[in-house]
Amino acid sequence: MDTTEALEQSQPGLVSRVTGAIRKHQLNHRAEQTYLHWISRFVLFHNLKNPETLQPDDRQLFLSYLTERLQVSRARLNQAKQALAFFYEDVLGRTEPEGTVAA
């Protein structure tokens, strides 16, 4: 399953919402690919659940998985955090209290 399939299965139209937000912020193509990658991995990690139903604890669980089980580098972890923050704030329009999602 590729990135767009995972996002579309979790919520139809989600890919176009993500790419629209990325283009609105004039991010480059590489940033678009990176954000889509991490957002898709997050959705796949949570078994294609609709991301709008997931809570900050679900993001923390994913970030902990990346850190503890996959042992991703600090740079990759920061990419994932940034992608999820962008996704929830700029695509879904949700903001979380400062410090809610840490790893």
Side-chain angles (χ1 to χ4, degrees), residues 1-2 8-9 23 38-40 43 58 65 70-71 73 85 89:
M1 174 176 302
D2 73 7
E8 284 300 312
Q9 281 189 21
R23 292 186 181 133
W38 287 116
I39 294 165
S40 296
V43 167
D58 296 312
Y65 168 77
L70 298 185
Q71 298 181 343
S73 68
E89 292 171 17

Side-chain angles (χ1 to χ4, degrees), residues 32-88:
E32 180 177 334
Q33 289 176 324
T34 300
Y35 279 19
L36 284 170
H37 168 82
W38 287 116
I39 294 165
S40 296
R41 288 202 49 187
F42 173 70
V43 167
L44 285 167
F45 178 80
H46 289 291
N47 298 315
L48 301 174
K49 285 184 184 173
N50 181 337
E52 297 208 56
T53 65
L54 298 173
Q55 300 301 314
D57 288 346
D58 296 312
R59 284 187 262 173
Q60 183 58 49
L61 184 64
F62 175 67
L63 295 171
S64 294
Y65 168 77
L66 293 178
T67 302
E68 295 163 15
R69 300 274 297 171
L70 298 185
Q71 298 181 343
V72 299
S73 68
R74 175 63 79 192
R76 293 230 184 245
L77 183 63
N78 286 337
Q79 283 180 343
K81 284 182 187 179
Q82 197 66 24
L84 293 178
F86 174 85
F87 179 59
Y88 274 90

